[in-house]
Amino acid sequence: MLQPTAPRPLDGITVVSLEHAIAAPFCTRQLADLGARVIKVERPGTGDFARGYDQRVNGLASHFVWTNRSKQSLTLDLKQDAAGEVLQRLLGEADVLVQNLAPGAAARLGLSFEALHERFPRLIVCDISGYGVGGPYQDKKAYDLLIQSEGGFLSVTGGPGEDAMAKAGCSIADIAAGMYGYTGILSALLLRDKTGSGSHVDVSMLESLVEWMNYPLYYAYEGAPPPPRAGAAHATIYPYGPFPIGDGSTVMLGLQNEREWQGFCNTVLERPELATDERFDANFRRVENREALRALIVAAFAPLTFDQVIARLERAQIANARVNDMQGVWQHPQLQARQRWRQVQTSAEAIPALLPPASSNAFSPRMDPVPALGEHTERLLGELGLDAERIASLRADGAI
């Protein structure tokens, strides 16, 4: 049971983030979920460019509302000295700086770890970039799809044929980098408790995605053929993927071992002789003969309904799933039964938001509003000791 009044793990931690798009905002939203105060520094007038990606959520952008709840928005034009001075004062009271600006931009602003560590020795600096610090790609611009390409993801994703590659339907490289930034910051906070000193967390989108690609990398070890692109099916385990049913529906199913294969033949296909058929009696043989096996499965499912197929799969203890669209996920009975949706306020109106997946019985995650651009600027500047006249002057100069 969630504990709404219990302290959160990152209560009292202040994070300043120079962030845009997905990777860094997703990282810092996880920190905010755990109680950190996240101050999002945005460009005056335009803000994080993800604010303008679309207008699908009551006029707000889908990417932005997903990754920016529970934050405070401060507008600063960091090209102006006065705004830079405000940022330095803010960093003097912060625990963590996160940035995913264009390559080299943070260093040009005097925000490299080396420059900041001299002034703020306890400050943790997390840089999220496409390719990391050093190497020939250090200054190369990177976006999610480009990293999916560089990291080999596209080579194993999509359908058969050279022209059938497909990107992930979500920003997988950004998400991977954001999560490694998040865990890297948590480890840096633990380390600071031991050493008293802040450290540098350098997160590369390429390395984050390549870590997730290690199974296909090892499958292709020392020049071996890589996993083929297999659409929604598994490239190297069979049967594992979508199969049509006679009523026009589709079922996703997966077998992992020979015990399941035998149960599948006996109970689902009602063809026990197939269990020992020499074409199918080991996974690698089923993969080699997948087209023949697929034809047999489709034929067995042709006279059945979805519910009948699911009943057989359940009796045989074969893992299975519906192929949901987005509306099916919004209405998913498991998410509803576990009460995983909460209402989060935005500048338009309240929207449902999924609770963080790692539930704790010790505390409730923060689920505060998605900020409007610059919503907290005057409040934050006041906390830094700037009076109303100075704030008005900064606004008149376009520094905030």
Side-chain angles (χ1 to χ4, degrees):
M1 182 176 179
L2 299 176
Q3 303 295 321
T5 60
R8 300 182 177 102
L10 296 185
D11 284 349
I13 296 294
T14 297
V15 178
V16 175
S17 192
L18 311 179
E19 60 181 28
H20 57 81
I22 302 303
F26 190 59
C27 165
T28 57
R29 202 218 74 195
Q30 315 303 311
L31 300 171
D33 289 345
L34 296 187
R37 183 187 196 189
V38 176
I39 299 171
K40 182 182 181 77
V41 178
E42 302 190 71
R43 301 177 185 88
T46 57
D48 181 342
F49 54 70
R51 287 182 180 272
Y53 278 174
D54 59 60
Q55 297 181 324
R56 302 303 291 268
V57 188
N58 303 318
L60 305 176
S62 53
H63 285 81
F64 192 85
V65 298
W66 164 44
T67 58
N68 288 284
R69 67 170 182 252
S70 305
K71 299 180 185 180
Q72 296 176 305
S73 174
L74 167 67
T75 52
L76 289 175
D77 179 0
L78 295 177
K79 295 180 180 179
Q80 296 197 34
D81 291 342
E85 292 170 6
V86 170
L87 180 61
Q88 291 293 320
R89 293 175 70 168
L90 195 60
L91 293 175
E93 300 183 7
D95 298 280
V96 181
L97 170 66
V98 180
Q99 70 85 19
N100 70 330
L101 303 177
R108 290 191 295 272
L109 291 168
L111 300 175
S112 67
F113 172 74
E114 292 74 18
L116 291 171
H117 191 61
E118 292 184 11
R119 295 192 60 190
F120 312 116
R122 287 180 55 82
L123 182 68
I124 293 162
V125 177
C126 178
D127 297 323
I128 301 176
S129 62
Y131 298 98
V133 177
Y137 282 39
Q138 171 180 280
D139 297 324
K140 190 175 178 68
K141 291 185 71 174
Y143 299 123
D144 180 84
L145 175 57
L146 307 182
I147 297 298
Q148 289 189 38
S149 181
E150 287 279 357
F153 184 88
L154 295 185
S155 75
V156 298
T157 306
E162 290 303 313
D163 59 348
M165 68 177 66
K167 70 179 288 295
C170 61
S171 304
I172 188 171
D174 281 322
I175 294 167
M179 292 307 292
Y180 283 114
Y182 166 54
T183 56
I185 290 166
L186 294 179
S187 67
L189 288 166
L190 291 171
L191 184 63
R192 191 180 68 174
D193 285 344
K194 297 179 179 180
T195 67
S197 180
S199 55
H200 183 207
V201 179
D202 173 23
V203 179
S204 154
M205 290 172 64
L206 177 65
E207 292 159 18
S208 299
L209 187 61
V210 169
E211 167 64 27
W212 288 10
M213 290 292 295
N214 264 222
Y215 140 64
L217 278 170
Y218 282 123
Y219 190 87
Y221 188 58
E222 293 188 335
R229 288 196 292 271
H234 199 290
T236 59
I237 304 174
Y238 203 81
Y240 196 146
F243 293 89
I245 299 173
D247 64 2
S249 60
T250 299
V251 66
M252 188 75 69
L253 62 87
L255 280 69
Q256 291 278 4
N257 54 56
E258 297 312 303
R259 176 185 56 79
E260 291 182 345
W261 168 241
Q262 186 170 10
F264 185 71
C265 294
N266 292 340
T267 304
V268 180
L269 300 183
E270 296 183 343
R271 295 280 304 275
E273 74 279 6
L274 292 177
T276 55
D277 189 309
E278 62 182 11
R279 296 172 297 171
F280 311 132
D281 62 358
N283 177 67
F284 74 91
R285 293 192 180 96
R286 293 193 289 274
V287 171
E288 290 172 353
N289 296 286
R290 68 166 61 210
E291 292 306 319
L293 179 52
R294 177 177 175 79
L296 292 170
I297 296 171
V298 171
F301 288 177
L304 304 177
T305 66
F306 182 85
D307 289 341
Q308 288 172 327
V309 170
I310 294 298
R312 291 190 185 187
L313 291 168
E314 291 293 328
R315 284 200 304 273
Q317 298 185 330
I318 302 299
N320 61 83
R322 295 178 181 271
V323 182
N324 278 323
D325 60 12
M326 292 301 96
Q327 296 309 313
V329 178
W330 277 118
Q331 298 161 11
H332 201 291
Q334 183 69 2
L335 298 176
Q336 299 289 345
R338 281 172 48 81
Q339 300 179 340
R340 299 308 295 173
W341 298 104
R342 295 292 183 274
Q343 291 293 301
V344 167
Q345 191 61 51
T346 73
S347 56
E349 59 183 63
I351 61 171
L354 187 71
L355 282 165
S359 298
S360 171
N361 71 337
F363 68 94
S364 293
R366 175 180 288 167
M367 302 283 284
D368 288 350
V370 178
L373 178 60
E375 179 179 345
H376 305 92
T377 297
E378 293 196 12
R379 171 184 166 186
L380 288 164
L381 295 180
E383 290 179 10
L384 292 174
L386 280 68
D387 60 24
E389 183 178 354
R390 178 58 175 154
I391 293 172
S393 174
L394 290 170
R395 192 173 298 282
D397 292 339
I400 61 174

